[in-house]
Amino acid sequence: MKLRPLADRVIVKRLENETKTASGIVIPDNAAEKPDQGEIMAVGPGKKNDKGELQAMNVKVGDRVLFGKYSGQTVKVDGDELLVMKEDDLFAVVEK
């Protein structure tokens, strides 16, 4: 990846939602909601606390995370649409 996030920011790639419901109904692209799950592609070093010590990040590359539908800033890199957001904008890590 050509992006290296700064401070407590992360790069997230949205995971696509299902395009078919459990009953077999196909959802068209224009009616589908934005996915609220993604995979961490890159992690910044963390931010400094009041004492100047670096606080480690709670997420790592490859983690699957939940975030708000309108969180982060969208950027395009090599044709991929990615999100840049602060670690505070993440809600949870999805455990396998």
Side-chain angles (χ1 to χ4, degrees), residues 8 13 16 20 23 31 33-35 39-40 43 48 51 54-55 57 60-61 63-64 66 70 76-77 90:
D8 63 336
K13 183 173 186 178
E16 294 303 317
K20 190 184 280 189
S23 61
E33 293 183 6
K34 285 185 175 183
E39 181 179 350
I40 302 285
V43 178
K48 294 187 178 187
K51 297 177 184 176
L54 195 63
Q55 288 182 301
M57 300 285 277
K60 61 186 180 307
V61 173
D63 280 351
R64 191 173 190 163
L66 295 176
Y70 303 104
K76 275 200 171 192
V77 177
L90 301 175

Side-chain angles (χ1 to χ4, degrees), residues 3 6 18 24 32 34 40 45 59 62 73 82:
L3 291 179
L6 302 175
E18 294 291 321
K34 285 185 175 183
I40 302 285
V59 294
Q73 179 66 40
L82 304 171

Side-chain angles (χ1 to χ4, degrees), residues 1-88:
M1 168 157 296
K2 296 178 182 178
L3 291 179
R4 182 176 50 95
L6 302 175
D8 63 336
R9 289 183 172 77
V10 294
I11 308 292
V12 178
K13 183 173 186 178
R14 284 188 195 266
L15 297 176
E16 294 303 317
N17 281 346
E18 294 291 321
T19 57
K20 190 184 280 189
T21 64
S23 61
I25 298 172
V26 176
I27 302 170
D29 289 339
N30 58 356
E33 293 183 6
K34 285 185 175 183
D36 55 359
Q37 286 190 32
E39 181 179 350
I40 302 285
M41 304 301 286
V43 178
K47 71 177 181 182
K48 294 187 178 187
N49 61 16
D50 296 337
K51 297 177 184 176
E53 301 165 341
L54 195 63
Q55 288 182 301
M57 300 285 277
N58 293 318
V59 294
K60 61 186 180 307
V61 173
D63 280 351
R64 191 173 190 163
V65 294
L66 295 176
F67 51 86
K69 290 190 187 315
Y70 303 104
S71 296
Q73 179 66 40
T74 303
V75 295
K76 275 200 171 192
V77 177
D78 297 333
D80 288 332
E81 194 171 289
L82 304 171
L83 290 169
V84 179
M85 64 180 70
K86 289 191 170 210
E87 185 183 30
D88 292 344

